[in-house]
Amino acid sequence: MFWKTWKALSQAGVMGINRRNADYVLKYNKRHLYPVVDDKILTKERAIAAGIHVPKLYGIIDTEKDFDKFDSIVAEHRDFVIKPAQGAGGDGIIVIADRFEGMYKTVGGKIISRDEIGHHISSILSGLYSLGGHRDRVLIEYRVTPDQIFKSISYEGVPDIRIICLMGYPVMAMLRLPTRQSGGKANLHQGAIGVGVDLATGITLKGTWLNKIISKHPDTTNPVDGVQLPDWNGFMHLAASCYELSGLGYIGVDLVLDQDQGPLILELNARPGLNIQIANDAGLTTRCHMVERHLAQLKKEGREESAEERVAFSQKHFAKLPDAPLSSDEANASNA
Amino acid sequence: MQSINLHLKILIAVLVSLGVLITGYQIYFLDIPVTEDETDDIWSLDAKVEFRATPGTPIKAQFFIPPLNQDYVSLNESFISNNYGVNINNQAGNRRVTWSSRRASGTQTLYYRLVLTQRYSEEQAKAAPPPAPQPIQLEGPEQVAADALINPIRQHSADIETFISETIRRVNDITDDNVKLLLAGGTSAMDKARVIELLLSNARIPLELVHTIRLENTETQTPELWLRSYNGERWLYFHPETGQQGIPDNRLVWWTGSNPLLSLEGGRQSSVTLTVSNSEMNALRLAKLTTQNSASALLEYSLYGLPLQAQRVYQVMIMIPVGVLVILILRNLIGMQTLGTFTPVLIALAFRETELGWGIALFTVITALGLSLRSYLEHLKLQMLPRLSIVLTFVVLLIAAISLFSHKLGLEKALSVSLFPMVILTMTIERLSITWEERGGAQSLKTALGTLIAATLAHLLMTIPELTYFVFTFPAVLLILVAFMLAMGRYRGYRLTELMRFKALTKS
C-alpha cells in the first residue's frame, strides 16, 4: 500500500523533505548567505539597494534602552507593524491598526498599552522568537493594506503570495489566505489556506487546507479558485529578481499586494515548505528538473538569462491552466 | 554533484568493508565469541600412575607427557606428587617427566593433569620430520620374508602414501606366511606396527609411532596407536590395523616412538590410568585466561584492555551512536517529530538510571508540572534567562520532593530520578512550551509524544545486553553504522509520514 503511494508520488514528481534538503537547499543555498534571508532588516536593506519594492521601514530598535525611540519612530503613523528581525513563521508579529487614547489597537481589535508593547519588544530583543534563541532586533514598518480583491476570500489578516524560485526561475506559486483558525496569520501549519496560482496567468487554482484539497474558503464560503490576481507579472519579476538580491538558489519569496503600492516583498525563506505542491496539485521535482536541464543547456551555450527571460521561461513551461494565456476577463468569465 | 556522489559511495564502501573486515577478523581469526554467553570445550587429561615402591631403592619414574606444540592451548598443567622431585625434559620431540625419590614405601600414586582448549590456539610450529631411517638389519628367513613382501608392495605403489597403505594392508593379512613369520606370533597393534616399521625401514621410508588419546568424555582409555610419515610436505597418518588414512580431529598426540608410556625403576606392579573429561567455560573468560597464559595480544588492544571502571563507562558510551541511529531513522525515514535532534537520546540515557516505566512516569509528571509553571510565568512577562532559571530551580525542587516522598513511601526506585539530568528536563519544558505557543497544544503534545517514543525505543535498543556486548566487543561495527548514516545523508526518498501528507496528490 505504501509502495503504491510512493510510486504514484514519485511519478507525479512530488518533492519530499529529504529531497528538498539534499538536492536543493544544501546544493543551491550557501550557508554564509543565510543571514540575508534570516534577518528581515538585512533583506530589506538589500532589496532597497536593488530597487525592489518592500514595505517601508519606519525604524529599528536594537537595545532595551532604544525603546525610548519608539515614540518618535511611530509618531507620524497611526498604523504600523512590529516584527522580530529573525522571527520565523510569523511569530512575534504585532500589527497595530489604530490608536486609541494613548493606547494602541491591534488588527484583532485588542487594545494594548505602551507598556505591553514595551514588554513585547523586550521579549523579541531577548530572542524569544528568533531562530536558536539569539538576541534579536525589532523592526517597525509600514502596515500593508491588502488589496480589495482578497476581501471575499480572506478572513482578517493579510494574505500573501509565496513563489518558489530555483536559480531565479519561478517554479511554483501559492496564495496564502488567513482563516479564523489561523488567527489572521497566513501560515499553513496554523490553519491558513494555501491556494495554487497559475504561473502564466496569475489565476488561482484549487486550495489546500490542513493537507486536504478544497475549493471554497471555510469562513467566507466563497470559491478560492478562478480568481485573477492583479499585476501578476509584477509579482513574477519581483520574485525572479530575488535571486540576484540574495544569492540563494532555492528560495521561497513571500510577497503581498498592497492596495496602494502594489506587489511588495515581505521576506525570503531559504527552506520553503512543501505544501505548495498540494495547493497546486503538482510536484516540485518535475519543475525543478526542467529548470535544471534548461540551466545546463544555457551553461553549454555560455550565457545567462535576465529576470525577464527567466519569468518568460517559467510562464511558458509551468502554465497550469490548459487554455492559457487568457486575459483576466475571459478567465473570470470561464470560471464564473 | 556527480563527483560528490561517487566520493560518498566509495567512502561508504570503504567504511562497510572496513567494519566487516575488522569484525570478521575478530570473530574468525581472533576467535572472539559473538555472544557473551558463548561457551567452549575445555579438556582435562588426567593421568594417574600407581606402583608399589621397592623398599630401600631409589625410585625413578619416567613418564611421557603430551607435547604442547599441537592445535591446543594449554591452560594449566600440574604435577601432584608428594615428596617426589619433578623434572621435565624434552627428547626427540617428546616431553617426559621424571619423578624421583630417594626412598619410599608402600603404594605410590602420582598425578599429572593437563587442561587444554582448542580456542585461541595459534599456529604452532609442527613436529620436525623424522630422519631417514637406517634399514633394520634382518637375517636369514626373516630377510627373505621381508623381501618377499616389499617387492610386490613396491610394484603396487606409486609414492610414499600408497606404499605405506599397501604395507599396512599386507601386514594385516595374517594368513600370509611371510607376515606370520615376521610377526612371530604377536597380533597386537604394536606388533604389527613394529613389522610395518621394519618393512618401511628397508624401503628407506621414515615412519613414526604415535600414541594418541581421544578427546572424549570417557572413563579410562588406553592410548591408541597411529603411524605417521612425512612425505616432504605434511604428516600422513595411518591406522596400523585398519589402514585408515588421516587421523580424526579429536586425537591428541601423547608421545611418539616405541618406548612405553611409563618406565619405572625401583618399583613394581605399576599401572597408568588415563581419563579425559570435558567441561565448558565462558568463552570470554577463556579468552582472558589464555591471554594471561600465552601472552597473545588477542584482547590486549580491545576495550577489554581498559580498567574495569572505564569499561563500564564505555559500555554506555559506545551505545549512544545506536540510539542516535534510532532517532535518525525515526526522523528521516519515518518523519516522526521529536524535540530537537539529540534530546531523545539524552532522555534515553536518563532512563538507564530510572528504569523505563519509572522514567516515563517521572518524565511525564515533571514535564507536565514544569509546563504549567511555565505557562503561569508567562503571565508575569519575565525575561527569558530569569524564567529559565526559575523553571530549572523548580525542577530541582520537584525532583527533591519526589525523592523524599518516594523514600518515605518506601519506593527506593524513584530515588534514582535524582540522576535524571535536570538541564535536559528544563530545556524540554522550555522548548515544549515554545512549541505550544507557536504551533498549538496539539502540535506540542505530538512532539512530546514523539520524543518520548523515540527515547523509549532508543533506550530499549541501547540496553539490549547482547547488542551492548556485541558493539563493545566489536567496535568496528560502528563504522558500518557511520556508513549507513552517510547514506542517509544523501537519502532523497519520501518519509513515511509524507506518503500520508501528500496522499491528496496521488488521486489525480
Side-chain angles (χ1 to χ4, degrees), chain A residues 4-212:
Chain A
K4 243 176 97 182
T5 316
W6 181 297
K7 267 181 79 180
L9 286 178
S10 104
Q11 208 120 52
V14 174
M15 191 185 289
I17 294 175
N18 290 326
R19 180 180 294 278
R20 183 199 69 184
N21 291 345
D23 279 358
Y24 296 95
V25 173
L26 274 173
K27 186 174 166 189
Y28 290 106
N29 294 350
K30 297 214 170 57
R31 193 78 226 184
H32 74 272
L33 294 171
Y34 273 46
V36 177
V37 295
D38 284 345
D39 191 322
K40 293 189 181 69
I41 296 174
L42 279 181
T43 315
K44 219 182 254 292
E45 282 167 358
R46 291 279 192 109
I48 292 166
I52 290 171
H53 299 300
V54 289
K56 192 172 179 333
L57 179 66
Y58 293 160
I60 298 167
I61 296 177
D62 36 18
T63 58
E64 320 266 336
K65 204 171 172 307
D66 266 4
F67 183 61
D68 304 337
K69 290 200 305 194
F70 177 74
D71 293 316
S72 63
I73 291 174
V74 299
E76 295 170 24
H77 311 284
R78 289 195 71 78
D79 58 341
F80 51 88
V81 179
I82 300 171
K83 261 188 196 175
Q86 299 184 36
D91 297 318
I93 296 178
I94 295 184
V95 183
I96 302 296
D98 209 347
R99 306 225 186 176
F100 182 77
E101 306 211 339
M103 311 266 266
Y104 298 91
K105 198 172 173 182
T106 67
V107 202
K110 214 172 128 198
I111 306 281
I112 53 173
S113 68
R114 189 177 167 279
D115 280 352
E116 280 175 288
I117 289 183
H119 175 77
H120 186 74
I121 286 178
S122 140
S123 305
I124 294 176
L125 290 174
S126 69
L128 180 60
Y129 302 102
S130 76
L131 303 157
H134 305 295
R135 272 197 71 82
D136 203 356
R137 292 191 287 174
V138 178
L139 66 158
I140 297 165
E141 65 175 23
Y142 169 77
R143 176 189 162 220
V144 171
T145 318
D147 193 279
Q148 288 302 318
I149 184 120
F150 299 121
K151 198 112 210 187
S152 65
I153 50 167
S154 171
Y155 178 85
E156 289 183 347
V158 184
D160 68 12
I161 291 150
R162 150 88 45 105
I163 301 180
I164 292 186
C165 295
L166 176 62
M167 299 303 282
Y169 290 84
V171 284
M172 208 173 265
M174 164 172 73
L175 172 67
R176 299 191 295 190
L177 301 168
T179 62
R180 189 188 297 270
Q181 186 169 354
S182 77
K185 287 182 177 170
N187 281 304
L188 295 199
H189 63 75
Q190 286 172 339
I193 306 175
V195 182
V197 180
D198 177 39
L199 285 185
T201 59
I203 295 171
T204 58
L205 310 162
K206 282 209 169 19
T208 170
W209 189 48
L210 307 172
N211 291 352
K212 285 189 286 283

Side-chain angles (χ1 to χ4, degrees), chain B residues 234-378:
Chain B
R234 61 199 168 88
W235 287 100
L236 306 166
Y237 284 86
F238 299 90
H239 193 272
E241 284 181 297
T242 63
Q244 185 196 340
Q245 231 196 74
I247 194 164
D249 277 340
N250 65 347
R251 298 299 197 281
L252 179 85
V253 173
W254 194 284
W255 83 100
T256 60
S258 46
N259 293 329
L261 181 54
L262 175 73
S263 54
L264 180 67
E265 291 170 25
R268 58 201 158 81
Q269 293 173 359
S270 66
S271 74
V272 176
T273 324
L274 298 179
T275 50
V276 175
S277 64
N278 145 285
S279 60
E280 285 187 335
M281 192 191 237
N282 179 299
L284 202 66
R285 265 184 60 207
L286 196 60
K288 289 173 188 163
L289 217 64
T290 45
T291 322
Q292 288 166 7
N293 271 24
S294 66
S296 88
L298 170 67
L299 288 167
E300 233 2 76
Y301 291 100
S302 74
L303 290 172
Y304 289 100
L306 292 171
L308 222 58
Q309 191 69 35
Q311 279 190 33
R312 293 232 177 77
V313 177
Y314 279 97
Q315 263 169 4
V316 178
M317 212 171 77
I318 207 145
M319 289 308 280
I320 291 179
V322 177
V324 172
L325 187 77
V326 173
I327 311 302
L328 180 66
I329 289 171
L330 285 180
R331 283 174 64 112
N332 268 26
L333 281 183
I334 299 189
M336 190 186 264
Q337 280 163 346
T338 63
L339 211 59
T341 320
F342 297 123
T343 316
V345 180
L346 294 175
I347 295 172
L349 282 175
F351 283 163
R352 288 186 73 92
E353 312 288 348
T354 53
E355 281 190 5
L356 194 56
W358 273 106
I360 293 176
L362 291 166
F363 177 82
T364 315
V365 168
I366 295 175
T367 312
L369 288 175
L371 270 179
S372 18
L373 174 76
R374 170 71 173 68
S375 82
Y376 167 70
L377 291 180
E378 191 60 30

